[in-house]
C-alpha cells in the first residue's frame, strides 16, 4: 500500500465521458495535476476541471491525426517506474520525468463502430486504439503504485476510498488491474474476430473427412470452411447479469455476453426486462429458443416453448390478428403450454395481452409491449416480460447464420455456424400425387418449425399452425406416434415435416393412419424407394428437400 503523497499526477484519456465530472472533481479535491489527451481535456474543461495537455509530459505534440500522443517515455516511464527501486527513481529525476499515480483510460468505441450499418474496413481500423491499451497495461502491471481505472463505474467508489483513507488499498489496486487486463483482452479479441473475417477469406483447404448423411462432401454445398470457422478463436466473456439460479435451485448461474460479431437480434445484446422476478438459467434458455424460432418467420408468428422445445407454433398473414395466431399456437398442445415461454415477433398490444393473461406463462419475449399490455400483464406477479427490440417484424439478417454456435465438451468446445433456413428451398416431388398449394404452404411452415424441435423431429401442421409435435426420441417412428397422439383428430388433413430422412416406411404408415396427407423430408435413405412406395400406397404427396435440420 502506498502512503499519501504530497503530489498526485493523473493521466486521463477517455472516449466514454460517463462520470468524468465525478472523477475530475475528486482529482481536484486531491490537488492532483491532471494531464489529458486533446478530446478529454476539452471534456474536463466543460466539467469545470482544468487539465494540462499530455504534451506537457512528453514535450512533443500529438501528431498523425492523433494516432501518436501518449506513446512516449514521458508517459510510460512515469507509469512503469518501480517506486521501491532507487535506481529507477533516480533515472526519472535524471531525465526530468514525473511519476504517474493514476491512469483513467477507456478505449476507442470499436464495438459500436463495427455494428453501424455500412461501416467500411478503413473506418473500423481508425477505431483501433493503440496508446490506450498500452497505458492500461502499463498501469495494471505496476498496480502496486498506480491506480488504473478502465471502467467509469469505478470512478466514484475508488476516489471515495482515496479521499477517505489517503490512499487506495493494495486489494483494490489488484482488483482494478485484473479488470483492466480483462478489458484490454476483450477489446483485442473483438478486433481479432472482426479482422479475421477479412483475413480468412483467401485461405483454402478442407478437412480430411467431412461428409453428410448422403455421402456428399459438405464443402460442395457451402462456403469453404476456412472462411467461416477460423483456425483460432479468442473468446472473452463478460458477466452481464447474475441469475436467480441454474437449471436447478441448488446451482449458481450467471449470464455472460460474448465478443463475437453480432448479426441481427441477440437476446443478450438487447434484452430489457420490463416486469417480473429475476431470471433463471432455464428462463433464458427457453426465451432464447423462442426468439430464435419466431425470427425464422417473416410473417407474424407466435411460439410457445417448454424445456427449450416448441409445443405450439402458428403464423398468419401480414395483417393477421396476433390474438388469433396465439390461440392457434396454444391449441396445438394447451397442456404442455402451461408454465411455458411465449415468443412473438411483433409488438404485444392490449388485445393479445388479454389472451396471454388467461394462461399461466413464466416468460413472454417480444420486440415491444404497449403500455396497455404491460399494465395488464404486470398484474401477474411471476410473469417476466422481456423486450428484445431488434427482433422486430421477424426480420432475419443474412449474417445471423454465420455467427458461431458453441457447445462445451470435455476439455474443449464444438463450434459450428448456425443452422440457417434456406429461402430458396428445393422441394422435389417424389410421389405419384403432388402436393396442393395449401399443402405446400403448410409444408414450408412445418419445415421451419421442425428445425427448432429436438431430433428425431416430427411436426404435424395444418392451416399454418402446429397440431402435433414429437421430438427428442431415439427412434423416428416414436416421434411420429407422439406427434399423432398430440394431434388426435386434428391430424386429419395435416402435413408432416421430418428433420431427417425416414429409415423405414413405418413412420409414413403411422402418419397416414393418423390422417396426414402430405410429407416434407430430406430423403437420402437407402430405403427411400420403400418409403415412397408406402406414401403412394396411402395416397400421400411427398417431397424431398435434400437437406436436413438436426438439432441434437
Amino acid at each position: 500500500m502506498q502512503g499519501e503523497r504530497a503530489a498526485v499526477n493523473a493521466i486521463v484519456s477517455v472516449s466514454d465521458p460517463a462520470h468524468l465530472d465525478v472523477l475530475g472533481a475528486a482529482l481536484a479535491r486531491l490537488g492532483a495535476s491532471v494531464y489529458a489527451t486533446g478530446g478529454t481535456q476539452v471534456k474536463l474543461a466543460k466539467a469545470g476541471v482544468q487539465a494540462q495537455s499530455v504534451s506537457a509530459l512528453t514535450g512533443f505534440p500529438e501528431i498523425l491525426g492523433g494516432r501518436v500522443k501518449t506513446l512516449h517515455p514521458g508517459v510510460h516511464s512515469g507509469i512503469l517506474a518501480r517506486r521501491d527501486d532507487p535506481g529507477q527513481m533516480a533515472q526519472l529525476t535524471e531525465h526530468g520525468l514525473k511519476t504517474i499515480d493514476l491512469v483513467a483510460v477507456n478505449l476507442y468505441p470499436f464495438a459500436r463502430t463495427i455494428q453501424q450499418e455500412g461501416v467500411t474496413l478503413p473506418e473500423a481500423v481508425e477505431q483501433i486504439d493503440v496508446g490506450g491499451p498500452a497505458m492500461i497495461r502499463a498501469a495494471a502491471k505496476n498496480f502496486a503504485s498506480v491506480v488504473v481505472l478502465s471502467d467509469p463505474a469505478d470512478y466514484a467508489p475508488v476516489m471515495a476510498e482515496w479521499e477517505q483513507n489517503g490512499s487506495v488499498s493494495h486489494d483494490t489496486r489488484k482488483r482494478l488491474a485484473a479488470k483492466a487486463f480483462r478489458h484490454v483482452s476483450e477489446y483485442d479479441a473483438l478486433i481479432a474476430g472482426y479482422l479475421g473475417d477479412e483475413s480468412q477469406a483467401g485461405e483454402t483447404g478442407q478437412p480430411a473427412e467431412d461428409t453428410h448423411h448422403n455421402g456428399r462432401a459438405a464443402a460442395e454445398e457451402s462456403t469453404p470452411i476456412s472462411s467461416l470457422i477460423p483456425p483460432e478463436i479468442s473468446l472473452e466473456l463478460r458477466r452481464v447479469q447474475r441469475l436467480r439460479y441454474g437449471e436447478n435451485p441448488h446451482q449458481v448461474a450467471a449470464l455472460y455476453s460474448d465478443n463475437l460479431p453480432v448479426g441481427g437480434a441477440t437476446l443478450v445484446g438487447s434484452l430489457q426486462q420490463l416486469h417480473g422476478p429475476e431470471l433463471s438459467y432455464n428462463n433464458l434458455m427457453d426465451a432464447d429458443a423462442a426468439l430464435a424460432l419466431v425470427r425464422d418467420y417473416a410473417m407474424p408468428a407466435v411460439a410457445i416453448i417448454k424445456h427449450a422445445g416448441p409445443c405450439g407454433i402458428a403464423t398468419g398473414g401480414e395483417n393477421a390478428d396476433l390474438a388469433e395466431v396465439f390461440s392457434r399456437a396454444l391449441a396445438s398442445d394447451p397442456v404442455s403450454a402451461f408454465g411455458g415461454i411465449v415468443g412473438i415477433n411483433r409488438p404485444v398490444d392490449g388485445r393479445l395481452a388479454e389472451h396471454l393473461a388467461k394462461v399461466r406463462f413464466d416468460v413472454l419475449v417480444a420486440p415491444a409491449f404497449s403500455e396497455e399490455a404491460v399494465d395488464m400483464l404486470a398484474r401477474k406477479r411471476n410473469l417476466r416480460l422481456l423486450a428484445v427490440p431488434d427482433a422486430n417484424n421477424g426480420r432475419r439478417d443474412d449474417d445471423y447464420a454465420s455467427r458461431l454456435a458453441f457447445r462445451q465438451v470435455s476439455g474443449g468446445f464444438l463450434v459450428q455456424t448456425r443452422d440457417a433456413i434456406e429461402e430458396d428451398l428445393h422441394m422435389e416431388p417424389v410421389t405419384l400425387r403432388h402436393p396442393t398449394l395449401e399443402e405446400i404452404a403448410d409444408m414450408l411452415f412445418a419445415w421451419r418449425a421442425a428445425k427448432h424441435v429436438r431430433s428425431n423431429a416430427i411436426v404435424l401442421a395444418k392451416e399454418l399452425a402446429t397440431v402435433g409435435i414429437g421430438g427428442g426420441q431415439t427412434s423416428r417412428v416414436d416421434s411420429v406416434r407422439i406427434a399423432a397422439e398430440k394431434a388426435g383428430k386434428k391430424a386429419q388433413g395435416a402435413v408432416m415435416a421430418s428433420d431427417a430422412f425416414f429409415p423405414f416406411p413405418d413412420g409414413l404408415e403411422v402418419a397416414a393412419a393418423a390422417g396426414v396427407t402430405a410429407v416434407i423430408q430430406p430423403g437420402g435413405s437407402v430405403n427411400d424407394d420403400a418409403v415412397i412406395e408406402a406414401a403412394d400406397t396411402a395416397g400421400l404427396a411427398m417431397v424431398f428437400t435434400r437437406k436436413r435440420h438436426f438439432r441434437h
Side-chain angles (χ1 to χ4, degrees):
M1 181 186 298
Q2 299 296 317
E4 184 176 7
R5 301 186 182 92
V8 173
N9 296 317
I11 292 179
V12 184
S13 179
V14 300
S15 61
D16 180 359
H19 309 304
L20 188 58
D21 55 341
V22 173
L23 176 63
L27 289 171
R29 289 193 295 270
L30 287 174
S33 296
V34 180
Y35 301 89
T37 50
T40 302
Q41 188 178 13
V42 173
K43 294 170 187 172
L44 285 168
K46 290 181 179 179
V49 179
Q50 295 304 312
Q52 302 177 67
S53 171
V54 169
S55 297
L57 291 174
T58 64
F60 202 87
E62 296 184 11
I63 63 172
L64 304 183
R67 280 192 167 197
V68 177
K69 47 196 171 189
T70 61
L71 297 171
H72 192 279
V75 169
H76 287 275
S77 297
I79 297 174
L80 285 166
R82 292 183 54 178
R83 280 39 163 191
D84 60 353
D85 187 324
Q88 292 190 13
M89 297 304 291
Q91 284 185 313
L92 290 186
T93 301
E94 178 185 351
H95 294 284
L97 302 175
K98 299 179 180 181
T99 56
I100 302 300
D101 309 290
L102 179 142
V103 171
V105 174
N106 51 61
L107 306 176
Y108 293 171
F110 185 82
R112 189 166 68 244
T113 298
I114 63 174
Q115 290 175 18
Q116 295 173 0
E117 186 175 354
V119 67
T120 65
L121 179 60
E123 289 170 339
V125 167
E126 283 306 307
Q127 293 302 317
I128 297 177
D129 204 329
V130 176
M135 285 194 292
I136 290 176
R137 289 176 61 85
K141 176 178 180 176
N142 203 22
F143 70 87
S145 300
V146 182
V147 173
V148 56
L149 296 172
S150 58
D151 183 352
D154 290 322
Y155 296 168
V158 172
M159 297 311 293
E161 179 183 340
W162 200 331
E163 291 185 80
Q164 181 177 348
N165 301 328
S167 63
V168 178
S169 71
H170 180 274
D171 288 345
T172 298
R173 293 168 185 267
K174 184 179 177 183
R175 175 180 61 80
L176 292 171
K179 187 173 188 176
F181 278 120
R182 284 195 298 270
H183 179 55
V184 174
S185 176
E186 180 180 344
Y187 187 77
D188 287 343
L190 179 65
I191 295 169
Y194 175 80
L195 295 180
D197 289 343
E198 301 285 334
S199 63
Q200 299 299 327
E203 288 189 6
T204 58
Q206 300 295 335
E209 183 177 352
D210 190 3
T211 59
H212 58 53
H213 68 285
N214 280 339
R216 295 176 297 181
E220 292 176 1
E221 299 183 335
S222 63
T223 306
I225 191 169
S226 59
S227 68
L228 299 177
I229 304 293
E232 296 179 356
I233 297 175
S234 298
L235 184 63
E236 292 290 329
L237 304 179
R238 178 184 292 269
R239 190 180 69 202
V240 295
Q241 186 176 346
R242 286 186 171 89
L243 302 178
R244 190 177 187 183
Y245 51 75
E247 287 184 277
N248 299 289
H250 61 272
Q251 293 173 272
V252 178
L255 174 65
Y256 287 78
S257 65
D258 64 37
N259 63 336
L260 296 175
V262 175
T266 65
L267 186 71
V268 178
S270 54
L271 181 150
Q272 301 171 30
Q273 184 169 355
L274 305 180
H275 171 71
E278 62 182 327
L279 294 159
S280 72
Y281 179 98
N282 292 339
N283 291 154
L284 284 170
M285 285 287 293
D286 288 344
D288 191 56
L291 176 63
L293 199 159
V294 295
R295 276 178 54 87
D296 261 344
Y297 291 94
M299 294 293 105
V302 175
I304 304 172
I305 302 295
K306 196 69 172 288
H307 302 310
C311 58
I313 311 165
T315 189
E318 187 56 57
N319 297 316
D321 179 356
L322 276 174
E324 187 270 335
V325 175
F326 163 70
S327 296
R328 290 192 292 117
L330 179 63
S332 176
D333 190 350
V335 174
S336 297
F338 180 84
I341 278 71
V342 180
I344 306 135
N345 67 357
R346 295 294 191 277
V348 176
D349 57 18
R351 174 171 161 76
L352 175 56
E354 183 179 359
H355 284 71
L356 290 165
K358 295 177 182 178
V359 184
R360 157 68 194 280
F361 293 119
D362 283 354
V363 178
L364 305 180
V365 57
F369 294 80
S370 70
E371 290 186 14
E372 181 185 8
V374 172
D375 289 344
M376 189 176 302
L377 295 168
R379 299 169 193 168
K380 301 175 79 69
R381 184 169 57 88
N382 292 321
L383 176 62
R384 300 155 182 87
L385 304 182
L386 306 183
V388 183
D390 291 340
N392 197 25
N393 295 330
R395 177 174 51 84
R396 299 187 307 278
D397 293 288
D398 292 337
D399 60 345
Y400 177 72
S402 67
R403 293 194 72 217
L404 300 180
F406 291 75
R407 181 171 294 180
Q408 188 173 14
V409 294
S410 298
F413 291 87
L414 297 173
V415 181
Q416 64 177 352
T417 55
R418 295 183 183 273
D419 185 12
I421 285 287
E422 57 278 15
E423 296 303 314
D424 55 345
L425 177 65
H426 167 77
M427 291 197 298
E428 174 190 342
V430 293
T431 50
L432 296 175
R433 185 175 79 80
H434 288 194
T436 65
L437 290 177
E438 290 79 6
E439 287 173 330
I440 290 173
D442 282 337
M443 283 177 168
L444 293 172
F445 165 83
W447 181 245
R448 289 190 184 280
K451 166 194 160 182
H452 298 273
V453 179
R454 294 287 180 188
S455 296
N456 294 298
I458 295 294
V459 172
L460 304 187
K462 183 163 57 177
E463 297 177 353
L464 303 182
T466 57
V467 295
I469 299 174
Q473 303 302 306
T474 53
S475 87
R476 191 162 297 276
V477 67
D478 285 342
S479 289
V480 177
R481 291 191 181 104
I482 291 170
E485 181 181 352
K486 293 280 187 181
K489 294 180 180 179
K490 290 183 291 185
Q492 292 289 331
V495 306
M496 177 170 68
S498 174
D499 64 345
F501 62 67
F502 287 93
F504 303 104
D506 51 3
L508 266 293
E509 292 164 351
V510 171
V516 167
T517 62
V519 178
I520 181 170
Q521 59 129 322
S525 168
V526 295
N527 288 320
D528 272 351
D529 289 344
V531 173
I532 293 170
E533 182 180 353
D536 282 333
T537 299
L540 272 63
M542 186 163 64
V543 300
F544 284 177
T545 64
R546 302 298 181 184
K547 183 175 288 188
R548 76 179 188 193
H549 286 290
F550 267 158
R551 181 173 176 240
H552 278 312

